[in-house]
Amino acid sequence: MTTAVIFNGQGAHYQGMGMDFIEHYPQAKKVITCASQVSGEDIKALLNEDFSKLSQTRYAQIATVATSMAIFRSIESQLPAINYMAGLSLGEYSALMASGMLSMEDGFQLLKERGNLMSNHCEQLKKDENIVMEAVLKAPLEDIQQLVNQVNQDERHLYIANLNSSTQTVIGGKQSAVDQFKKLGKEKGIKKTIPLAVEGPFHTPFMEAVCQPFRLVLDQVDFNDAEVPVISNTDVKVHQIDQVRDTLTRHLIEPVRWKNTIDYFVAHGVDKIIQIGPGKTLGNLLKREKKAPDYVVVDSVDDIQGLESFLEG
């Protein structure tokens, strides 16, 4: 059995996420305490009564990763030998922490700084530009790329941000550019796009202003040799300690290649995937792939029994 563990990204959060683990597992409580101390925020409160704050990246990032890590630490002893880890977008930081490449304290400090930088920049962008992100469904990537190129003939205002699956690609750009894409897309048979409720145009060059200050933050963080290889969804390679800072900086402005990450797992013989953390987004993406390993989602304490059956099967 070759096993990969994957972690959800920002946007998968929901009110009360992880609370059952916090109530039942001391390992989960320890993670939440650490995240609260490092961030200066009451993470448990963010998961419940202050949940509305998670519409802001500065709160959503650390709360989502804290939840994923709380679940991971709670069930770690029940997991088989893990061959690979990865995480979609923000989830990559959960993978780096779970793999031991980032300590818990350094990881949460990094997320605090990253979240603040990204939120501040997004607030400035909203004053200057009307930039949106939309998921394009059931359209070939080649067609989407052609349309993006067509929209950008005069000036680059539209980018591919996420290659989530063979049936879902996310684009981000100025509202006028997205509207033009949708108009041209209808002529090409692209019928469905879904606006995304995100704070900013993540994983596009619109985030360029965040790169240099974030790199300065990364330079202050110690990275360790990973206990489990972590696949970057920026270049779909195993993170290397001498290149991780460069890769995480590029991660801000380059597309998330999640479909390629799953293809990497398949090519390397992964036959079981365990999604850990809030929501079922990554599991739902896997469900729609013709060639994908079997998977299970661990989002609640009730899911643990299903995990045991999945591993036995």
Side-chain angles (χ1 to χ4, degrees), residues 11-307:
H13 53 271
Y14 61 87
Q15 191 162 8
M17 63 183 184
M19 290 303 300
D20 52 348
F21 282 95
I22 296 169
E23 291 167 2
H24 289 90
Y25 289 89
Q27 300 96 323
K29 292 178 184 176
K30 187 176 179 180
V31 171
I32 299 302
T33 298
C34 177
S36 298
Q37 290 174 342
V38 172
S39 67
E41 299 289 340
D42 186 339
I43 299 299
K44 192 173 179 181
L46 285 177
L47 304 182
N48 271 317
E49 55 264 31
D50 295 337
F51 179 74
S52 61
K53 287 186 176 181
L54 268 63
S55 62
Q56 300 178 54
T57 297
R58 68 177 84 249
Y59 301 113
Q61 293 201 0
I62 199 160
T64 301
V65 172
T67 301
S68 294
M69 289 305 300
I71 297 173
F72 177 75
R73 292 301 183 207
S74 298
I75 67 171
E76 190 173 11
S77 63
Q78 298 169 257
L79 296 175
I82 302 168
N83 302 96
Y84 299 100
M85 287 184 176
L88 186 147
S89 188
L90 171 68
E92 192 155 304
Y93 288 83
S94 299
L96 290 169
M97 293 165 70
S99 73
M101 202 165 189
L102 265 176
S103 71
M104 196 90 72
E105 293 79 4
D106 284 347
F108 286 133
Q109 182 63 41
L110 190 57
L111 289 169
K112 176 184 176 181
E113 301 288 347
R114 184 178 188 265
N116 283 332
L117 286 168
M118 292 175 72
S119 271
N120 290 340
H121 180 58
C122 289
E123 289 168 6
Q124 185 60 48
L125 278 177
K126 288 177 183 177
K127 295 177 183 178
D128 301 334
E129 308 277 3
N130 185 18
I131 298 173
V132 298
M133 300 189 81
E134 296 210 14
V136 184
L137 306 183
K138 297 181 180 179
L141 177 60
E142 295 78 10
D143 290 351
I144 295 171
Q145 186 64 68
Q146 286 177 5
L147 289 174
V148 168
N149 293 342
Q150 189 174 346
V151 171
N152 287 334
Q153 282 179 350
D154 297 325
E155 189 175 356
R156 289 190 67 81
H157 288 158
L158 188 64
Y159 301 93
I160 291 177
N162 290 59
L163 293 81
N164 285 340
S165 72
S166 56
T167 60
Q168 185 186 109
T169 302
V170 175
I171 58 173
K174 291 186 179 181
Q175 182 69 66
S176 58
V178 172
D179 290 343
Q180 186 183 357
F181 175 94
K182 291 161 70 173
K183 180 181 178 181
L184 294 170
K186 285 182 180 179
E187 298 171 2
K188 206 172 181 67
I190 297 176
K191 299 178 180 179
K192 190 169 184 180
T193 65
I194 300 175
L196 301 182
V198 293
E199 194 176 14
F202 306 139
H203 306 292
T204 75
F206 285 107
M207 301 302 293
E208 180 71 43
V210 180
C211 288
Q212 184 176 1
F214 185 55
R215 178 55 195 256
L216 294 176
V217 175
L218 285 166
D219 286 341
Q220 303 304 311
V221 175
D222 291 325
F223 287 87
N224 311 303
D225 290 324
E227 297 170 13
V228 177
V230 177
I231 309 304
S232 162
N233 44 81
T234 300
D235 58 13
V236 198
K237 297 177 181 178
V238 175
H239 268 296
Q240 302 296 329
I241 198 167
D242 61 336
Q243 298 174 6
V244 64
R245 294 174 182 83
D246 288 339
T247 306
L248 291 178
T249 302
R250 289 166 46 213
H251 191 243
L252 292 165
I253 59 172
E254 294 190 17
V256 170
R257 302 182 184 280
W258 188 249
K259 167 68 165 61
N260 308 85
T261 304
I262 300 303
D263 290 343
Y264 180 101
F265 288 158
V266 172
H268 287 77
V270 171
D271 51 10
K272 288 189 180 295
I273 293 180
I274 304 167
Q275 184 212 299
I276 294 175
K280 295 176 170 57
T281 303
L282 301 186
N284 288 335
L285 291 175
L286 285 167
K287 190 191 311 184
R288 298 184 180 98
E289 293 299 326
K290 293 180 181 179
K291 293 182 180 180
D294 291 336
Y295 72 91
V296 68
V297 175
V298 183
D299 174 33
S300 68
V301 170
D302 290 342
D303 291 330
I304 293 177
Q305 185 174 352
L307 171 64

